[in-house]
Amino acid sequence: MCTIVPKISIKDTIKSPSIKNKTKDNIYKILSEQELLDGYKAAVSTCDISSFVGFSHYKEVYKNIVNELFGIETKDGIITKKSPHFIDRIIGQIAHDSPNVKGMRKGEKIEDVEHTLKNPSRIKKIKVDGEYRSKYSGDKCFATIDTDRGRLIQTNPFKGDKK
C-alpha cells in the first residue's frame, strides 16, 4: 500500500454534482454515492490516484465523464457506462499537463478522449478475457471500450513525443 486511505463514509460526503439528464430509457449506468466512494477508496489504496485527490474532485470527474462521454455514438455503438478503472485513468497519478515522471501515469483530458472516440485515426479489435474490445487511437490518446456493453474501460495518453 502506497498511501493511507482517508477514513470517510457516505455521511461525510457532500451532495453529488448534478448530472445532465442521462436516464432516458434507463440505458445509462449512473453510480450511487456509495459506489463512487467505494471506487475512490479502491483507487487510492491501489495507488491509481493520489490521496491528495479529494473525493469531491473524484465525483466532479465522474460527473464530467457522464455528461461529456455517455451517449457518444462510436463505430461500435453508444457509450452507456464506464469501468471503475476509467475515472482513475482520467485523473491519473499525475496531472495530464505535468512534466513526465518515471513510473507515474499521466491523467487524460476528457475532451481528448471524446475526440478520440468520435474521430479515431485507427480502431484495433481485440479480445481480452472473453470480452470483445475496441482500442481507439486518436491524436492525443487511446481509449478502449467493451463493444458488447458500450463500456469505457480505460484511456492512455501517447508516450513520449506523440502527446
Side-chain angles (χ1 to χ4, degrees):
M1 187 150 122
C2 63
T3 188
I4 297 172
V5 178
K7 296 229 183 242
I8 58 176
S9 69
I10 201 70
K11 66 183 177 198
D12 298 324
T13 66
I14 58 173
K15 186 177 179 228
S16 288
S18 64
I19 292 176
K20 294 177 190 172
N21 185 12
K22 293 287 184 175
T23 57
K24 183 180 180 193
D25 302 324
N26 293 319
I27 63 169
Y28 301 105
K29 171 65 174 135
I30 306 299
L31 299 179
S32 71
E33 187 90 358
Q34 186 62 55
E35 288 171 310
L36 282 172
L37 180 60
D38 292 345
Y40 171 76
K41 288 179 177 180
V44 170
S45 69
T46 58
C47 303
D48 282 341
I49 62 173
S50 168
S51 61
F52 293 114
V53 173
F55 182 56
S56 60
H57 179 68
Y58 187 85
K59 289 192 304 184
E60 185 69 24
V61 170
Y62 173 70
K63 176 196 81 163
N64 292 334
I65 289 169
V66 170
N67 288 338
E68 303 304 320
L69 301 179
F70 281 26
I72 288 177
E73 190 164 346
T74 70
K75 306 268 188 221
D76 293 297
I78 297 173
I79 301 298
T80 60
K81 58 187 93 166
K82 56 112 208 116
S83 70
H85 185 58
F86 191 78
I87 296 175
D88 310 346
R89 289 297 185 131
I90 291 291
I91 294 171
Q93 294 169 310
I94 57 174
H96 63 84
D97 55 355
S98 296
N100 288 334
V101 176
K102 187 175 172 98
M104 301 290 283
R105 190 184 70 258
K106 284 187 174 188
E108 193 54 64
K109 291 165 52 174
I110 291 174
E111 49 272 13
D112 290 344
V113 175
E114 178 181 17
H115 186 267
T116 295
L117 292 171
K118 289 180 175 180
N119 307 291
S121 56
R122 190 179 87 176
I123 301 172
K124 182 179 177 183
K125 304 290 186 178
I126 53 178
K127 188 174 182 181
V128 178
D129 298 329
E131 265 185 5
Y132 290 97
R133 299 178 178 183
S134 290
K135 184 176 182 179
Y136 285 59
S137 298
D139 296 335
K140 297 183 180 180
C141 69
F142 299 104
T144 305
I145 63 171
D146 170 348
T147 57
D148 294 331
R149 294 180 274 187
R151 180 174 61 112
L152 293 164
I153 297 172
Q154 70 174 4
T155 183
N156 295 304
F158 285 131
K159 293 186 173 162
D161 296 331
K162 292 181 184 176
K163 176 96 173 142

